[in-house]
Amino acid sequence: EATPKQLSTTLHFFGGAAEAAGGYMRELPSAETPATLGELIDQLSSEGPELARILAVSSYLVNERSARLDAELAPGARVRHGSLEGEIY
């Protein structure tokens, strides 16, 4: 019997964030999904100053809905970043 695939949290980066993150998409295993969007952004920001700068002035969607940093994340979430003006790429 096939083992079901574990849920993973999918992150989508665009523009300069994709360059700074080293790619347009990243998946986090369910065990590594932080409790909130803010914790995820803090974790990603620790990877480098350019990515941190971009993420600090970005807006976010979680599961296609506008989200603040206190939004809860669950394994399987889809996170997209956009500009400060609210344009989601």
Side-chain angles (χ1 to χ4, degrees):
E1 186 174 313
T3 304
K5 182 180 176 187
Q6 286 194 352
L7 289 176
S8 60
T9 299
T10 306
L11 314 171
H12 297 272
F13 301 103
F14 301 93
E19 289 179 33
Y24 291 96
M25 189 180 87
R26 188 180 300 181
E27 289 188 349
L28 292 177
S30 60
E32 295 176 23
T33 300
T36 67
L37 177 60
E39 290 175 20
L40 174 62
I41 300 310
D42 288 345
Q43 178 181 324
L44 293 169
S45 293
S46 70
E47 295 180 10
E50 183 64 17
L51 183 57
R53 184 187 66 74
I54 293 167
L55 296 178
V57 295
S58 294
S59 58
Y60 298 92
L61 291 179
V62 174
N63 297 327
E64 306 304 324
R65 301 188 82 152
S66 181
R68 295 175 11 169
L69 295 179
D70 61 353
E72 292 183 9
L73 294 181
R78 288 183 54 194
V79 178
R80 294 179 184 263
H81 101 280
S83 71
L84 184 61
E85 292 77 30
E87 296 174 6
I88 301 299
Y89 300 102

